Each structure stands twice: as C-alpha cells, then as structure tokens.
C-alpha cells in the first residue's frame, strides 16, 4: 500500500470545467483519492475555473506551456489523458513521455471509432439528423467500395494507432467497446497493440 500511496496520478483534460466534477473527468481523480492515491486535474487555463475549489488540485496552464518543459517539472508519475477520439493528441503525448511520465489513454467512446465500424452517430436514423454533412457521410458509408472507404480513414486510423502505440495502456468503458476497439486495431493490421487495451468501467455510467 505504501508504494501505491506514494504515486501521483493526474488526469489531463484540456476542456475541463466545474460541471465535469460530477462526470468521469472529475470522478476519476476523486476515486483515486478515495483509494489513497494522490491525484489532480491538469487542464488549459480558463475563466470558469477562477473560483473553482474542488477536493483535488487543479493545475492550469496555457496550451503552449504543455508543449514546453511542463511535463518535466510536473510531479505526477502517471498521466491519464482523457480523450474522445476527435482530435490530434500525439504531439502532447510525446511531450508527456519525454517528461518521464507513464501515460494512460482513456477513450470515452463505444470503440466504434472508424472504418470498418460505423461511428455511433450512424445509429441515429438519418431523418433525425438531416444536415448536409450527415447526408454525405451516410451516402459514403453505403458505398460498396471498401478500399475507397479505407483510404478515407487512413489518416485518422494512423492518429489513433499512434496514440495507443505511445501510451503505456489504453482503457475503455465496456467489454463491447473493448471488442470494437480491438476489431478496429486488427482491421488496420495493428493486432500487436491489443495487449495494451483494457476494459475499466466508467465511474459515471
């Protein structure tokens, strides 16, 4: 137990705001603290956090400072980077790793993150999401040309597989989501990364 309590595990979430305290990004550090682990939230500076005083420490910096010496100077042993599979995270994770941190990638999704699996938005009937973007996306998914669809998703698949490659572990919220994620990795010839993926349920369902 002494070994565990001497660790510090911080959650990085650039969009963190006070209302996230009752959601997963806030419940993760609170849960770690309940288990005797020093924990904090690291985020991008924002006005909404000026008078915010949660039980855990909140470290705020400009986005540029996270690409400097921040991770070398920060006293966390492990960083849980909270991510929703929607933006580039590789350069930041590289900085965390070069700063000597262990990095856990927390995917907040159902594992259907790209080809050959339909994104979760496609489960909603098209008549309920009649925008030009959704109509084009739906039409594209209905095309029979698998090679064309795979080519369109190459950059995105490369981004996600690189993130999983960089991290020490990737966690996702349900057995079904884990199966989807592993299927995605196998489809992109990265079955070697499946050993890094793990199911851990969300603290908030």
């Amino acid at each position: 137990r002494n070994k565990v309590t001497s660790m510090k595990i911080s959650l990085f979430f650039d969009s963190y705001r006070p209302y996230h305290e009752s959601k997963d990004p806030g419940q993760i550090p609170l849960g770690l603290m309940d288990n005797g682990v020093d924990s904090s939230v690291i985020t991008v500076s924002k006005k909404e956090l000026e008078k915010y005083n949660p039980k855990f420490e909140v470290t705020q910096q400009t986005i540029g400072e996270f690409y400097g010496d921040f991770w070398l100077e920060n006293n966390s042993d492990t960083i849980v980077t909270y991510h929703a599979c929607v933006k580039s995270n590789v350069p930041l994770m590289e900085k965390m790793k070069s700063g000597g941190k262990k990095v856990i990638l927390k995917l907040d999704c159902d594992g259907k993150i790209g080809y050959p699996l339909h994104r979760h938005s496609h489960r909603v009937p098209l008549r309920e999401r009649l925008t030009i973007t959704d109509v084009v996306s739906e039409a594209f998914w209905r095309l029979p040309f698998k090679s064309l669809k795979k080519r369109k998703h190459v950059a995105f698949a490369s981004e996600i597989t690189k993130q999983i490659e960089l991290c020490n572990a990737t966690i996702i919220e349900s057995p079904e989501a884990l199966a989807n994620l592993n299927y995605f990795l196998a489809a992109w010839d990265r079955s070697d990364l499946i050993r890094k993926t793990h199911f851990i349920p969300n603290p908030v369902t």
Side-chain angles (χ1 to χ4, degrees), residues 7-150:
M7 285 182 67
K8 183 171 184 179
I9 302 175
S10 295
L11 181 134
F12 174 80
F13 182 37
D14 59 346
S15 300
Y16 189 90
R17 284 171 171 77
Y19 70 84
H20 284 116
E21 187 173 331
S22 62
K23 301 180 182 296
D24 294 327
Q27 292 299 302
I28 289 171
L30 286 171
L32 288 167
M33 289 168 67
D34 284 346
N35 283 281
V37 180
D38 188 11
S39 190
S40 71
V41 166
I42 300 170
T43 189
V44 175
S45 302
K46 50 188 76 74
K47 252 187 179 180
E48 297 95 321
L49 298 175
E50 282 177 6
K51 295 180 180 178
Y52 177 56
N53 292 299
K55 290 181 181 177
F56 46 78
E57 173 192 3
V58 177
T59 300
Q60 301 180 64
Q61 299 287 338
T62 65
I63 191 65
E65 286 170 305
F66 290 126
Y67 290 91
D69 294 330
F70 175 83
W71 304 105
L72 277 169
E73 296 164 0
N74 179 265
N75 65 349
S76 303
D77 301 288
T78 299
I79 305 296
V80 177
T81 178
Y82 191 87
H83 182 50
C85 295
V86 292
K87 60 188 173 184
S88 175
N89 213 25
V90 167
L92 196 54
M93 289 176 69
E94 287 174 336
K95 278 290 181 183
M96 293 173 184
K97 295 290 286 187
S98 65
K101 310 303 182 194
K102 288 184 178 177
V103 178
I104 297 173
L105 178 64
K106 165 66 174 112
L107 297 181
D108 183 16
C109 66
D110 60 4
K112 295 182 178 181
I113 55 180
Y115 181 85
L117 293 165
H118 280 55
R119 298 292 297 274
H120 64 276
S121 59
H122 287 264
R123 293 183 303 200
V124 179
L126 185 59
R127 65 179 178 276
E128 293 177 24
R129 49 185 177 90
L130 278 176
T131 65
I132 291 172
T133 301
D134 282 325
V135 169
V136 170
S137 176
E138 188 75 22
F140 182 80
W141 271 106
R142 290 177 184 272
L143 289 173
F145 309 113
K146 290 183 180 179
S147 59
L148 179 64
K149 286 190 275 194
K150 189 165 186 176

